[in-house]
Amino acid sequence: MFKERIFSIGISRYELTDIDNDLMCEEVKKSSPDVGMDGTLSVSRKQMDLGNPCLDKLNYIIVSHSKHILSGITGNDDINLVLQRVWGNHNLNVDICSPHVHRQSFLSAIYYPKSTDGRLEFHSPWTDNIMSVVPESAIKKYNDFNSSFYTLYPRTGTLIIFPSNLLHYALPSANERISVVYDIGINI
């Protein structure tokens, strides 16, 4: 094992108990279909308005936690964050099952107002390069240095904040799953 760690990727996970999840689910369901990066209309991915009063508390929580993360990374409390966009996903088992990143953002946040069997997988940006000459069968115990992916199991009330350029995707759900997703930028 290496003696020191010199680079790191972080994520933050929170369990929120003071969000009206039923109202949030209804807002996602009634929002307009969103146009994807490929220009196609997605019935399951819904545009949402950052100014929607239903999102006020969640917006505040996400900005607060994101500022704390940014301050910890940079040591600078004076950098301003901006919520760039928000959208909802309702049982989206196709579009977000492909590995993707959120371009032109610093952080991304996913809140789950409804999830009983959700799985969110993140991929390491460098493990496969480092481990390319080591047969997988030779690994007896997985750790930070040899794992290619990390899976989270978000449930209703889970908020996850992570670097937007971290490759990730949601695995299909058998049950109804609703998430609210944010892209967060910085203004210097």
Side-chain angles (χ1 to χ4, degrees):
M1 182 66 68
F2 290 112
K3 298 246 181 217
E4 295 180 40
R5 296 172 191 272
I6 59 172
F7 300 109
S8 185
I9 295 176
I11 63 167
S12 293
R13 183 177 10 183
Y14 310 92
E15 299 302 326
L16 306 183
T17 57
D18 57 346
I19 300 291
D20 186 339
N21 290 318
D22 293 333
L23 177 61
M24 190 73 64
C25 289
E26 290 306 313
E27 288 295 318
V28 169
K29 289 177 184 178
K30 75 179 188 184
S31 296
S32 302
D34 192 19
V35 176
M37 297 294 262
D38 62 358
T40 60
L41 195 63
S42 172
V43 176
S44 299
R45 188 177 49 245
K46 311 287 189 153
Q47 298 179 76
M48 297 182 78
D49 181 1
L50 284 165
N52 183 331
C54 171
L55 295 173
D56 286 348
K57 185 180 278 189
L58 187 56
N59 289 352
Y60 175 81
I61 290 168
I62 288 172
V63 166
S64 175
H65 287 305
S66 297
K67 282 183 177 182
H68 181 76
I69 291 166
L70 179 61
S71 175
I73 291 170
T74 64
N76 185 347
D77 293 331
D78 297 327
I79 300 174
N80 293 318
L81 287 171
V82 58
L83 297 178
Q84 295 171 312
R85 72 181 203 127
V86 61
W87 66 97
N89 296 318
H90 181 211
N91 271 40
L92 198 62
N93 283 334
V94 179
D95 295 355
I96 59 178
C97 290
S98 297
H100 63 279
V101 298
H102 296 214
R103 294 176 181 222
Q104 301 174 339
S105 298
F106 176 66
L107 296 173
S108 292
I110 306 173
Y111 177 69
Y112 292 85
K114 186 167 190 176
S115 178
T116 58
D117 66 344
R119 292 177 296 160
L120 181 62
E121 194 158 286
F122 294 95
H123 281 258
S124 168
W126 55 72
T127 302
D128 289 336
N129 290 328
I130 294 170
M131 298 299 293
S132 65
V133 297
V134 178
E136 194 169 348
S137 61
I139 299 171
K140 300 298 182 201
K141 183 178 177 184
Y142 286 95
N143 59 49
D144 292 352
F145 296 105
N146 64 21
S147 296
S148 294
F149 62 90
Y150 185 82
T151 304
L152 294 176
Y153 300 90
R155 297 299 180 250
T156 298
T158 301
L159 169 65
I160 301 165
I161 302 176
F162 57 94
S164 296
N165 64 351
L166 185 58
L167 193 64
H168 64 282
Y169 62 95
L171 294 160
S173 294
N175 300 321
E176 184 177 34
R177 181 185 72 236
I178 297 176
S179 60
V180 178
V181 185
Y182 289 78
D183 280 339
I184 304 153
I186 58 173
N187 285 336
I188 298 177

